[in-house]
Amino acid sequence: MPRQTIAPASAAALLATALAMPMTASATLPADNPFARPSTLPYQLPPLDQISDEHFAPGLEAGMAEQRKEVEAIARNPAAPTFENTIVALEKSGQLLARVSAVFSNLTASNTNPRLEEVQTEMAPKLAAHSDAIFLDAALFDRVQRLYQQRASLDELDAEAQRLLERYHTLFVRAGAQLSEADKAKLRKLNEEISTLTTQFRQTVLKGVNDAAVLVDSKEELAGLSQEQIAVAAEAAKKAGKEGKYLITLLNTTGQPPLAKLENRALRERIYRASIGRGWGGEFDTTGLIARIVKLRAERAALLGYEHHAAYVLEDATAKTPQAVNAMLAQLAPPAVANARKEAAAMQAIIDAQEQGEKSFQLQPWDWDFYAEQVRKAKYAFDESEVQPYFEMNRVLRDGVLYAAQQLHGITFKERKDLPTYHEDVLVFEVFNPDGSPLGLFMVDWYARSNKRGGAWMNSFVEQSRLLGTRPVVVNNLNIPKPPEGQPTLLTFDEVNTAFHEFGHALHGLFSDVQYPTFSGTNVPRDFVEYPSQYNEMWATEPRILANYAKHHRTGEPMPKALMDKVLAARKFNQGYATTEYLAAALLDQAFHQLPPQRTPAQADIEAFEAAALKAAGVDFYAVPPRYRSTYFSHIFSSPIGYSAGYYAYIWSEVLARDTEHWFKTHGGLTRANGDRLREKVLSRGFSVDALEQFRDFYGKDPDIGPLLEARGLTAGEE
């Protein structure tokens, strides 16, 4: 998922502490530090081959010191405030800090190490304090407030500038600018501690998921896995010093891919229990961190005048209120669970037929994926192993993901092997507009690593801004197991879908065409940011696109039409499970964050709180655990804000995405004219226009939940 911050995700997002912190570093860097000057590489791509761990701490310190001086000059300017000397000056401030932070945030997520984790732990509270010092500075807020009060008479401002002024005022108020000095001091302490704790959570979860990998003694136990999957497990064991054995590494989700194939039920249970057991005690326990983070967030919300953290977060989202989120989730949960129970009954019937009499057993969570595959075979006459040979990673990327963008938007890609990367597995593509003019750089980092956080996401190294004269440099991260040298990387259909999803975020960043960095690309509300990515998934199964990339990795033969038809027909398969596991996590997020400080759970009560929350929401179906249990729910606990009280955003955005898919299907489908319309009205606008206004401008009316219900098989009478 894309990076976002509570403050504007740009130079303005890094405005900060300097005003309240003593000088601890020079505002200049030694000439041999690669961050000391703007990059001279194309698109200001950071010189990643020259940057070492030791460059980050001094770079961050110097960046904060430099921005302290810049912001001090703005706040203490004796001249009357103007849009240029206050708002534009803030947008231009902190460029050194932005350069360092962009690389640092990328590497700590995708290629971290103990030294970077030390710097991260050290710097998190300093950066939090740095931001507070800007937004809590009374003199600076006074200038913003005076401009805001004059906004109706500032005729020289265009619509984007007016919106920026209003946005700054909102951000200052939400950050606590109107608090008393005593309450500002309390807020600073809360923000610093939250930042420290969420950093600890992120690092602990990464260590915990690596530690929970399951060691298997013999190849026979892996019956059902493909030769490629077995080779990956053997390679992982070898790297862990267990040569001759097999290591099943885990993803940071409850479900694990091998569970769909493994015939050994005892091993399936071991893997499942290793997955759900992470963080509940032991060296990598996160329950204490969760209890403290939830309580501090609730206290911060109360200090800012909100009932709870969810009310604070959602006020600045498109949903606006917890009541709106609760209503949508409550509407979706009953049909989702009902469908999941039907799916479970179908699998139980298979178990009973195969395991006669006393040998039969009740379906358990570790059995679901295995028997779901058998239902898929029976219902659609294919399984994942038939499909994977047609999804070779390089072809999916070039002939699928990139080809779809070429067909829809007319953009072209040229691989740049001459540009530096942070890891040998990373690819770089230069992107060009239909007229051949340069657009930006797209980086691809799809392989899993033990020092890479779980999941999939998009990040920016450089954000687009006409004010700063910058074009975008974006990266997509996935976590696909890397096979041994010489073996093909064959993707599951879920991984293919994820690749298209993340590239939707990339397009949102690449197509950004705004003046001010605060509004650039994916710097939009959480419950809108997933809209372009979820919509982009539709091209994974668009017949023309699918036919172009779904080719056998050995023979090059296209996927047989009969198999392709089955893949398309099976898109609603298992949606009861998929929707329920997601909703369980989204509802758990709201349960934690819709509590006032005095009602937040203690460390010893986290597990009981989780169980009670799922039961109260009606999603406590034993066979379908949440996609994330509390102890490894990184989306909501691994950053000061992140997706906290916002994990619902995926399905809220999916309403818009499925409406857009419906629009395309009724307006000619994959055409350049349709692609140009989407780029003009949504993908290029960033947050320079209200999010729902963008959608209405494209779609022609308000969102409609109907296409979502149909896509997920949740309409009346659907199985």
Side-chain angles (χ1 to χ4, degrees):
M1 309 301 145
R3 173 184 58 84
Q4 283 192 316
T5 58
I6 184 173
S10 62
L14 301 168
L15 294 178
T17 314
L19 309 178
M21 294 172 59
M23 277 285 233
T24 58
S26 168
T28 60
L29 282 174
D32 62 353
N33 190 307
F35 293 116
R37 66 201 66 80
S39 172
T40 58
L41 291 171
Y43 304 92
Q44 297 185 32
L45 173 72
L48 297 166
D49 56 339
Q50 300 174 26
I51 296 170
S52 301
D53 295 348
E54 63 269 17
H55 295 134
F56 287 108
L60 291 167
E61 293 279 12
M64 287 188 285
E66 179 176 287
Q67 195 171 30
R68 285 198 292 271
K69 289 185 175 181
E70 295 167 341
V71 174
E72 177 75 18
I74 298 167
R76 315 305 172 205
N77 188 343
T82 66
F83 184 76
E84 286 293 324
N85 72 18
T86 302
I87 304 301
V88 173
L90 285 172
E91 285 285 272
K92 290 181 176 179
S93 74
Q95 292 186 48
L96 169 58
L97 183 56
R99 287 199 300 273
V100 185
S101 296
V103 180
F104 186 65
S105 65
N106 272 282
L107 296 194
T108 52
S110 61
N111 202 42
T112 193
N113 60 52
R115 176 54 188 147
L116 289 183
E117 290 179 350
E118 289 175 4
V119 175
Q120 191 177 39
T121 300
E122 176 189 355
M123 290 296 167
K126 292 184 179 181
L127 288 166
H130 181 66
S131 184
D132 280 345
I134 289 293
F135 288 102
L136 300 181
D137 181 81
L140 184 60
F141 177 61
D142 179 68
R143 296 180 70 86
V144 173
Q145 177 92 320
R146 287 158 64 188
L147 283 170
Y148 179 75
Q149 292 169 345
Q150 301 167 21
R151 65 191 184 284
S153 62
L154 299 177
D155 297 332
E156 72 277 14
L157 301 187
D158 63 17
E160 187 177 342
Q162 281 278 1
R163 182 169 171 80
L164 183 67
L165 173 56
E166 293 168 1
R167 186 65 184 154
Y168 261 97
H169 184 265
T170 296
L171 290 165
F172 270 87
V173 171
R174 284 176 55 77
Q178 295 179 317
L179 294 177
S180 69
E181 289 305 314
D183 283 344
K184 285 179 181 178
K186 294 177 184 176
L187 183 62
R188 288 188 182 97
K189 290 181 179 179
L190 286 168
N191 285 339
E192 287 186 44
E193 187 174 356
I194 290 169
S195 182
T196 298
L197 293 171
T198 54
T199 298
Q200 291 175 4
F201 184 92
R202 178 168 60 250
Q203 294 175 355
T204 304
V205 167
L206 178 59
K207 293 171 184 174
V209 75
N210 289 331
D211 182 69
V214 176
L215 189 64
V216 179
D217 291 329
S218 68
K219 185 176 181 179
E220 289 71 26
E221 294 177 82
L222 301 179
L225 297 188
S226 68
Q227 290 305 309
E228 290 82 6
Q229 288 173 308
I230 292 172
V232 169
E235 186 72 11
K238 182 178 179 181
K239 288 180 179 178
K242 304 289 185 180
E243 190 164 4
K245 297 190 177 185
Y246 304 86
L247 193 66
I248 306 295
T249 57
L250 302 185
L251 302 180
N252 192 43
T253 49
T254 297
Q256 301 298 327
L259 298 181
K261 300 294 182 184
L262 280 169
E263 297 172 7
N264 187 320
R265 188 168 188 251
L267 180 55
R268 293 202 305 267
E269 183 177 358
R270 277 182 64 201
I271 294 170
Y272 172 79
R273 293 197 181 281
S275 180
I276 66 162
R278 287 172 286 144
W280 303 99
E283 182 180 358
F284 305 115
D285 188 307
T286 57
T287 55
L289 293 169
I290 292 168
R292 188 65 178 157
I293 290 167
V294 170
K295 184 173 181 62
L296 293 178
R297 283 175 174 167
E299 290 178 356
R300 178 174 62 186
L303 186 64
L304 291 167
Y306 296 87
E307 181 182 0
H308 42 59
H309 181 69
Y312 169 76
V313 169
L314 295 173
E315 179 191 62
D316 203 39
T318 61
K320 301 303 182 187
T321 68
Q323 291 74 24
V325 173
N326 293 345
M328 183 194 66
L329 296 179
Q331 180 181 357
L332 294 172
V337 174
N339 277 13
R341 291 185 183 278
K342 291 177 184 177
E343 293 164 359
M347 287 181 268
Q348 188 65 54
I350 289 180
I351 292 170
D352 292 342
Q354 291 178 354
E355 307 290 341
Q356 297 292 330
E358 294 181 1
K359 291 185 178 180
S360 186
F361 53 84
Q362 185 179 27
L363 175 78
Q364 295 295 331
W366 53 88
D367 299 315
W368 188 289
D369 289 347
F370 183 76
Y371 287 98
E373 277 301 300
Q374 296 191 38
V375 173
R376 189 202 304 268
K377 288 180 187 179
K379 195 168 185 179
Y380 302 102
F382 83 96
D383 64 22
E384 196 71 61
S385 63
E386 288 183 78
V387 173
Q388 274 188 273
Y390 295 94
F391 294 149
E392 189 274 323
M393 186 176 77
N394 191 56
R395 184 166 272 152
V396 169
L397 171 63
R398 297 169 193 269
D399 297 342
V401 174
L402 303 187
Y403 175 76
Q406 291 167 347
Q407 297 300 299
L408 185 63
H409 299 293
I411 58 178
T412 54
F413 301 83
K414 176 185 177 183
E415 188 170 0
R416 294 290 302 266
K417 296 184 178 181
D418 58 317
L419 296 177
T421 64
Y422 55 87
H423 192 278
E424 61 182 6
D425 290 336
V426 178
L427 306 177
V428 183
F429 294 88
E430 187 171 9
V431 190
F432 300 92
N433 282 305
D435 63 2
S437 61
L439 179 59
L441 292 179
F442 171 56
M443 304 175 72
V444 181
D445 186 0
W446 280 9
Y447 280 126
R449 291 185 288 276
S450 62
N451 63 345
K452 186 179 189 180
R453 73 172 174 87
W457 67 96
M458 168 267 197
N459 253 347
S460 296
F461 280 101
V462 182
E463 294 185 331
Q464 179 274 333
S465 165
R466 293 196 299 274
L467 177 70
L468 302 181
T470 53
R471 292 192 177 101
V473 177
V474 304
V475 57
N476 275 173
N477 283 272
L478 275 66
N479 267 282
I480 297 168
K482 187 175 183 180
E485 188 72 27
Q487 296 293 316
T489 304
L490 305 180
L491 309 188
T492 66
F493 185 71
D494 281 347
E495 289 167 338
V496 172
N497 201 63
T498 299
F500 277 86
H501 175 105
E502 294 305 328
F503 191 67
H505 288 307
L507 287 174
H508 204 180
L510 287 167
F511 283 157
S512 178
D513 186 17
V514 299
Q515 177 74 6
Y516 303 108
T518 284
F519 293 145
S520 185
T522 59
N523 297 324
V524 297
R526 284 294 191 198
D527 53 6
F528 190 78
V529 77
E530 296 298 333
Y531 159 42
S533 57
Q534 290 184 322
Y535 141 76
N536 202 61
E537 294 172 12
M538 74 173 285
W539 305 121
T541 52
E542 199 279 336
R544 189 186 350 158
I545 304 302
L546 186 60
N548 197 62
Y549 73 85
K551 298 178 180 179
H552 199 281
H553 70 99
R554 289 198 182 95
T555 67
E557 291 295 314
M559 181 185 289
K561 184 178 185 304
L563 181 56
M564 188 177 294
D565 289 344
K566 292 171 185 173
V567 171
L568 296 175
R571 282 181 292 176
K572 293 180 187 176
F573 174 74
N574 212 36
Q575 280 299 306
Y577 179 95
T579 308
T580 301
E581 67 152 4
Y582 164 76
L583 290 174
L587 288 158
L588 184 59
D589 172 30
Q590 292 301 318
F592 274 118
H593 292 117
Q594 290 187 22
L595 294 175
Q598 64 272 19
R599 290 180 52 207
T600 59
Q603 177 178 0
D605 300 327
I606 296 297
E607 190 165 16
F609 178 86
E610 176 183 288
L614 297 176
K615 183 175 182 179
V619 290
D620 59 333
F621 181 27
Y622 81 95
V624 185
R627 183 176 299 175
Y628 301 97
R629 294 196 70 192
S630 307
T631 50
Y632 47 88
F633 203 164
S634 292
H635 277 77
I636 67 172
F637 292 130
S638 69
S639 64
I641 291 293
Y643 274 75
S644 62
Y647 193 66
Y648 77 93
Y650 289 94
I651 206 150
W652 187 279
S653 296
E654 193 179 349
V655 173
L656 310 182
R658 298 304 154 236
D659 285 353
T660 299
E661 184 174 352
H662 175 74
W663 185 93
F664 267 87
K665 289 178 178 178
T666 56
H667 288 79
L670 184 69
T671 69
R672 279 293 315 284
N674 286 344
D676 288 347
R677 177 184 173 90
L678 185 68
R679 177 175 179 175
E680 175 194 353
K681 295 185 177 296
V682 177
L683 298 177
S684 65
R685 309 304 294 274
F687 201 31
S688 64
V689 176
D690 176 76
L692 285 182
E693 184 180 331
Q694 293 179 43
F695 175 79
R696 293 188 192 103
D697 190 28
F698 170 80
Y699 193 54
K701 59 182 180 179
D702 285 336
D704 173 15
I705 200 172
L708 167 71
L709 297 175
E710 197 279 332
R712 285 186 171 257
L714 300 180
T715 53
E718 290 207 47
E719 293 293 327

